[in-house]
Amino acid sequence: MKKNILYAIALAVSFVGCSRPQDKRTEIENKVETLLHKMTLEEKLGQMNQLSPWNFEELADRVRKGEVGSILNVVNSEEINKIQNIAVEESRLGIPILVSRDVIHGYKTIFPIPLGQAATFNPEVVEKGARVAAVEASADGIRWTFAPMIDVSRDPRWGRIAESCGEDPYLNAVMGTAMIKGFQGDSLNDPTAIAACAKHFVAYGASEGGKDYNSTFIPERVLRNVYLPPFKAAVDAGCATFMTSFNDNDGIPGTANKFVLKDILRDEWKFDGMVVTDWTSTAEMINHGFCTDGKDAAEKSVNAGVDMEMVSETFIKNLKQSVAEGKVSMETIDNAVRNILRLKFRLGLFENPYIVTPQSVKYAEEHLLAAKTAAEQSVILLKNDAQTLPLTDKVKTVAVVGPMADAPYEQMGTWVFDGEKEHTQTPLKAIREMYGDKVNVIFEQGLAYSRDKNTSGIAKAVNAARRADVVVCFVGEESILSGEAHSLANLDLQGAQSQLIKSLAATGKPVVTVVMAGRQLTISDEVEASDAVLYSFHPGTMGGPAIADILFGKVNPSGKTPVTFPRMTGQAPIYYAHNNTGRPANPTEMLIDEIPVEAGQTSVGCRSFYLDAGNSPLFPFGYGLSYTNFEYSDLKLASDKLTVDGEVNVSVNLKNAGKYDGTEVVQLYVQDKVGSVTRPVKELKAFQRVELKAGESKTVTFSLPVSDLAFWRYDMSYGVEAGDFKLWVGTNSAEGLSAEFSVMN
Ligand code: NOJ
């Protein structure tokens, strides 16, 4: 009998523990409805209000009155627990507060900037980074982050390219998905899970002229083919929230764009998460000349499908009247509040409003190791003449030079509100600590900071170079030069950094240039002057040890460019997946210095290129060398005649033909040769990181569903078009073995 009772209890417990997702959903929906029915209109508008408080007492008072649904930028765990206690115990309905923060590429342990993470082409590493960030942030009570930013970014003038995963829709989709998984973990209900936010919806990355917040002019087809796919992937990955964008696209600000917020996001994609505005973007619609006042802005925004307003408080101040006037329906308000409450229930905030994760997780050993791995894989070897790298035993003295060699704050990059420079390990520190017993290290900064124009320190740096066997020069951008509102019209290295590199090169000593920046810079001359170049973007807390191990050959670089590198700023926007013109450039075009004086108008050929910059980039998308040498051979297509429901099965032999073990990112590109609308010259469709020992070979296979070749066609239907295709498998977007196939209906 007793046994039976125990068995029944165990069964009941196991049922509760394994409640089916459908049951869980229904349970949450029921709770949402029950709570919603108890709420006054004022309380509903309170839930739709997000504040960035300056004054604790004022915040406490408003929370008590039910005027706040979420806060951002409070990171003091004691204050958060106090506020939560007021919300739960002292507000009429006890609805917990949703605490948010921009945790973009780490909370305390800072990972490489997202652009650097994209360069790893390794979603596992990226997912781990987001998981670490979530564990650390949740230790301070943060349960919602405003990441990933999955704005396709094709213009390095735009400072926020740093925060993106680069120019490619597919890469943004893969990396965005990885970040969402990492932030949200296995279940939002886990106390270490933080809700992700796909932003900025949408087309913000196309800001005209690369100037932040600027207008965009992206037609629906390009929106759907290029800018929306990462966001669709975010919905598929279960991303809990979306953020509207600042820009007006084709005249409609993102915060009132019903077409994208309702028709696409809700109706087509069935998103049941929550939509928040960007910071004061509702009120900013007045500046846009789209709304007359705050009330008009609130109405347009909420009627377009926004649920929560960040900071500008036009909802809470105006929507009661708008409802009374019939300009906003009660149903619209209720739907917004449903989306907010659903998220709070999903996060388990009602059961666990207080902080659960221990503080000790910050900068945990495991987190630092993960950040180091991410930094290692984010570094791109752009040049390595005469095998300058890795540094061998013959190198007895290294001159470490440059404004980024020992700049702990700067190497963390943009969007670091909580990382501390005291915990950052710089290259100088790492080289000294990790390799100081093998080499003599001389340090001469040369320039005080990246914008420094004072050249008086260069002579000392040159002198250090003369005394060394090799000079490693760390240049780049201070973190303030990229990120939000930090656009540039000139992408050359700032200050006297170029002069520094050239002066070092003039010594005749081998020069290794390491660039730490928030974007791809125009560095043709500096690459020319250097024997080897490593591009690391801003590598974060563990950048130093990662770079040190790469310099000394313990780690073989494997990063690939997630963006195309222009030769000159004027080439921007620049991206590999462009459409062809009717007059594509020939590789042999005559450039400006070769054109004879008084040349005839048409003598240089009427083709699409720049007279001064040509048509090719400095480095193509997907580019990155290794200390070893990978050889591709034997490309095989299982079939070159396929149907729309078939699969492109392709294999290639990859050999590590060099002396070092290494990892190659094998990339698959496809071109739809003729379409009902013009199609990109190639598009990345898949990639794999393949590890090979020196001398080892492997057959690498890809199975690409033909349905992945679908696009938005002439008549705005979505599908694959029958016809001829070309594919490439190779080491970057400009090289590769190719084959052709056709798709039949
Ligand atoms: C404005 C930025 O555009 C957005 O990305 C960020 O999440 C919010 N501010 C909150 O800080």
Side-chain angles (χ1 to χ4, degrees):
M1 177 66 182
K2 216 173 175 187
K3 225 175 170 186
N4 280 349
I5 292 171
L6 283 180
Y7 177 73
I9 292 172
L11 204 67
V13 168
S14 74
F15 266 124
V16 173
C18 315
S19 69
R20 288 180 306 143
Q22 187 53 44
D23 295 343
K24 185 84 198 149
R25 268 200 290 276
T26 317
E27 190 189 316
I28 287 182
E29 290 312 310
N30 290 341
K31 286 181 179 166
V32 167
E33 290 309 315
T34 311
L35 185 51
L36 188 68
H37 278 101
K38 293 184 194 154
M39 294 171 80
T40 62
L41 177 55
E42 286 82 353
E43 282 164 335
K44 289 174 185 173
L45 297 179
Q47 284 303 305
M48 295 164 74
N49 195 27
Q50 185 186 47
L51 290 183
S52 178
W54 301 114
N55 177 309
F56 183 83
E57 288 313 320
E58 197 182 303
L59 172 68
D61 188 46
R62 297 195 64 185
V63 167
R64 203 171 281 119
K65 290 188 196 142
E67 290 177 3
V68 187
S70 171
I71 52 173
L72 73 159
N73 297 337
V74 179
V75 285
N76 178 318
S77 50
E78 271 174 36
E79 278 185 8
I80 287 178
N81 269 343
K82 271 192 208 154
I83 285 296
Q84 206 57 290
N85 188 261
I86 292 168
V88 171
E89 302 295 336
E90 299 179 33
S91 74
R92 191 180 77 92
L93 292 171
I95 304 174
I97 293 286
L98 179 50
V99 180
S100 64
R101 180 75 161 167
D102 286 286
V103 180
I104 307 296
H105 53 109
Y107 181 62
K108 291 290 175 185
T109 304
I110 301 300
F111 281 67
I113 56 169
L115 194 56
Q117 293 190 39
T120 67
F121 279 69
N122 189 343
E124 280 170 31
V125 157
V126 171
E127 181 177 336
K128 176 77 187 167
R131 186 86 287 273
V132 166
V135 168
E136 293 190 355
S138 58
D140 277 346
I142 293 155
R143 296 298 308 280
W144 180 21
T145 181
F146 304 121
M149 186 186 110
I150 42 179
D151 293 314
V152 169
S153 310
R154 297 177 158 184
D155 193 331
R157 291 173 296 177
W158 191 49
R160 294 199 85 166
I161 198 168
E163 198 187 341
S164 81
C165 293
E167 72 183 50
D168 187 68
Y170 176 70
L171 189 59
N172 268 284
V174 171
M175 294 311 185
T177 298
M179 288 181 194
I180 291 162
K181 281 193 197 162
F183 287 133
Q184 299 191 170
D186 293 335
S187 159
L188 276 180
N189 196 260
D190 183 307
T192 69
I194 62 177
C197 183
K199 70 184 190 187
H200 306 84
F201 205 51
V202 63
Y204 182 41
S207 297
E208 197 175 51
K211 193 172 65 169
D212 206 5
Y213 314 123
N214 213 358
S215 299
T216 60
F217 300 93
I218 302 296
E220 185 184 343
R221 190 187 325 279
V222 183
L223 204 61
R224 287 185 180 274
N225 281 333
V226 176
Y227 291 90
L228 287 174
F231 288 96
K232 172 67 167 63
V235 173
D236 294 343
C239 187
T241 71
F242 266 53
M243 184 188 291
T244 66
S245 62
F246 282 127
N247 58 297
D248 62 319
N249 187 45
D250 190 21
I252 303 172
T255 299
N257 192 331
K258 180 182 161 298
F259 173 62
V260 296
L261 293 174
K262 273 200 173 156
D263 302 357
I264 295 182
L265 184 60
R266 299 284 181 193
D267 298 347
E268 283 182 34
W269 298 351
K270 311 288 174 223
F271 178 65
D272 69 353
M274 194 249 273
V275 174
V276 65
T277 69
D278 203 340
W279 181 285
T280 66
S281 65
T282 323
E284 288 175 23
M285 292 195 292
I286 304 168
N287 283 348
H288 274 289
F290 191 77
C291 301
T292 47
D293 53 21
K295 179 163 172 285
D296 188 26
E299 286 163 5
K300 285 195 168 119
S301 170
V302 83
N303 282 333
V306 166
D307 302 319
M308 182 179 279
E309 182 185 20
M310 189 186 285
V311 171
S312 40
E313 299 211 64
T314 67
F315 286 13
I316 198 161
K317 287 185 187 145
N318 298 293
L319 289 180
K320 191 172 171 197
Q321 193 185 339
S322 307
V323 170
E325 289 168 0
K327 291 192 173 139
V328 172
S329 70
M330 207 48 214
E331 194 194 347
T332 298
I333 302 289
D334 282 350
N335 280 338
V337 178
R338 279 189 182 99
N339 294 333
I340 295 163
L341 295 180
R342 184 181 300 121
L343 177 61
K344 292 188 176 185
F345 279 113
R346 282 180 177 168
L347 283 165
L349 286 180
F350 287 86
E351 297 100 57
N352 282 317
Y354 305 110
I355 296 167
V356 177
T357 316
Q359 293 291 320
S360 58
V361 295
K362 294 171 189 167
Y363 300 113
E365 194 59 28
E366 186 205 342
H367 296 183
L368 296 175
L369 263 177
K372 177 168 183 273
T373 304
E376 286 167 5
Q377 296 190 13
S378 74
V379 175
I380 308 158
L381 178 64
L382 293 178
K383 179 178 179 181
N384 195 16
D385 275 4
Q387 298 210 303
T388 308
L389 288 176
L391 303 177
T392 63
D393 294 347
K394 287 190 197 133
V395 171
K396 303 289 178 221
T397 302
V398 178
V400 174
V401 170
M404 295 296 284
D406 195 29
Y409 176 78
E410 311 304 350
Q411 78 177 50
M412 288 192 288
T414 186
W415 273 128
V416 174
F417 287 159
D418 304 291
E420 293 136 314
K421 69 176 183 177
E422 295 70 23
H423 286 260
T424 305
Q425 302 193 28
T426 66
L428 175 67
K429 180 173 188 279
I431 293 170
R432 277 185 174 149
E433 281 177 9
M434 295 160 73
Y435 294 94
D437 57 340
K438 295 199 177 66
V439 288
N440 176 28
V441 179
I442 321 174
F443 175 55
E444 268 311 332
Q445 199 159 310
L447 298 168
Y449 56 103
S450 73
R451 288 165 292 158
D452 191 2
K453 296 191 179 97
N454 178 348
T455 54
S456 61
I458 293 185
K460 278 192 190 162
V462 165
N463 191 25
R466 288 210 179 95
R467 289 185 284 138
D469 301 307
V470 65
V471 46
V472 186
C473 181
F474 292 86
V475 294
E477 292 182 308
E478 296 150 70
S479 89
I480 192 69
L481 298 181
S482 63
E484 185 178 347
H486 304 153
S487 295
L488 288 174
N490 181 350
L491 299 173
D492 293 345
L493 278 172
Q494 297 287 331
Q497 295 184 100
S498 189
Q499 188 181 333
L500 173 64
I501 295 170
K502 287 171 192 162
S503 308
L504 296 169
T507 63
K509 292 293 169 80
V511 174
V512 177
T513 296
V514 182
V515 188
M516 292 174 166
R519 54 163 69 77
Q520 69 273 47
L521 294 168
T522 44
I523 48 169
S524 304
D525 290 352
E526 295 78 9
V527 170
E528 184 69 37
S530 311
D531 298 275
V533 178
L534 290 168
Y535 211 92
S536 86
F537 297 107
H538 288 130
T541 304
M542 294 299 284
I547 292 170
D549 274 347
I550 287 175
L551 290 170
F552 288 89
K554 188 162 177 217
V555 171
N556 190 348
S558 59
K560 298 277 186 176
T561 52
V563 280
T564 305
F565 277 54
R567 294 174 191 280
M568 296 183 190
T569 305
Q571 283 175 291
I574 186 166
Y575 52 98
Y576 79 94
H578 57 84
N579 292 354
N580 237 340
T581 68
R583 295 179 175 192
N586 296 315
T588 53
E589 300 302 353
M590 193 166 22
L591 296 187
I592 198 157
D593 292 334
E594 298 145 358
I595 300 172
V597 175
E598 294 197 359
Q601 168 65 31
T602 56
S603 64
V604 288
C606 296
R607 318 300 295 177
S608 177
F609 70 104
Y610 296 102
L611 287 182
D612 48 2
N615 198 45
S616 64
L618 181 60
F619 296 106
F621 174 86
Y623 181 86
L625 305 171
S626 164
Y627 293 155
T628 194
N629 176 27
F630 292 105
E631 287 175 1
Y632 286 76
S633 64
D634 225 4
L635 181 78
K636 283 196 191 111
L637 256 182
S639 165
D640 62 0
K641 301 234 169 345
L642 299 161
T643 51
V644 284
D645 54 357
E647 254 185 9
V648 185
N649 287 305
V650 60
S651 67
V652 72
N653 192 271
L654 182 70
K655 180 171 184 198
N656 179 344
K659 292 193 302 229
Y660 298 89
D661 299 349
T663 300
E664 166 72 330
V665 179
V666 181
Q667 301 158 46
L668 170 67
Y669 295 88
V670 178
Q671 179 192 27
D672 185 346
K673 292 171 83 174
V674 178
S676 60
V677 291
T678 54
R679 305 285 299 125
V681 292
K682 49 176 76 165
E683 291 175 289
L684 181 69
K685 291 292 172 188
F687 58 82
Q688 287 178 40
R689 281 177 64 89
V690 183
E691 275 178 41
L692 289 180
K693 299 255 173 252
E696 196 187 349
S697 293
K698 189 176 173 186
T699 303
V700 180
T701 58
F702 289 98
S703 292
L704 181 76
V706 173
S707 55
D708 282 6
L709 306 176
F711 65 100
W712 293 85
R713 300 175 284 203
Y714 187 89
D715 61 1
M716 285 310 288
S717 63
Y718 181 73
V720 180
E721 278 180 357
D724 294 335
F725 292 78
K726 184 166 178 179
L727 68 76
W728 295 258
V729 179
T731 185
N732 63 57
S733 64
E735 293 172 66
L737 301 174
S738 67
E740 308 225 342
F741 62 94
S742 50
V743 172
M744 289 152 305
N745 274 322

